[in-house]
Amino acid sequence: RNKCAESLQANVNRLKLYKSKLLIFPKKSGKKGVKKGDTPKSELQNVAQNTLKEIIPVERPALRVKARAITGEEKEASAYKTLKKMRTNLKYDGAKRKKAAEGKEEK
């Protein structure tokens, strides 16, 4: 799937490269079997069939991040507490908004 413009462009370029390398053999021999878009016979003389699993592989970006020392700020922060706080805020968000709206109406 193309989730961003960069991956879409990479796939477009990969498919253009594939189409440039593609050789289409005519279905039938003779002049009636040749259709528009088929490769001429002169180019099909010594063509080897590609038996590789991937014809043009998809380039995968290197996602490896170099190791580094953990900072004091990172040691103090708790991922569990942060997530728990966010879940709690999300759960009671509607009630908080309703209470705030009632407070404004009373004033």
Side-chain angles (χ1 to χ4, degrees):
R1 290 193 181 165
N2 301 309
K3 294 187 177 183
C4 62
E6 292 85 14
S7 65
L8 174 67
Q9 196 57 43
N11 275 339
V12 167
N13 292 337
R14 195 171 62 88
L15 291 172
K16 283 181 181 178
L17 177 66
Y18 172 77
K19 283 179 74 174
S20 69
K21 291 183 177 187
L22 186 67
L23 299 175
I24 301 174
F25 285 79
K27 281 188 171 184
K28 299 175 184 175
S29 60
K31 293 201 175 202
K32 289 186 178 181
V34 178
K35 295 193 175 187
K36 182 182 174 190
D38 288 351
T39 309
K41 270 191 171 181
S42 59
E43 293 180 30
L44 297 174
Q45 295 301 322
N46 296 322
V47 177
Q49 184 174 354
N50 188 358
T51 56
L52 299 174
K53 187 175 182 180
E54 291 183 356
I55 299 168
I56 299 173
V58 178
E59 292 180 17
R60 301 278 182 213
L63 298 176
R64 182 139 175 100
V65 177
K66 294 219 175 190
R68 60 177 178 78
I70 297 172
T71 63
E73 188 178 299
E74 290 173 339
K75 282 184 182 179
E76 290 174 15
S78 170
Y80 174 77
K81 286 180 183 177
T82 307
L83 288 173
K84 185 71 173 170
K85 183 70 173 167
M86 295 303 282
R87 279 194 209 106
T88 307
N89 289 343
L90 190 63
K91 181 176 180 179
Y92 295 110
D93 186 47
K96 286 179 184 178
R97 288 184 185 197
K98 186 176 180 182
K99 192 174 182 181
E102 286 175 1
K104 285 183 180 179
E105 287 177 7
E106 290 177 7
K107 287 183 181 181

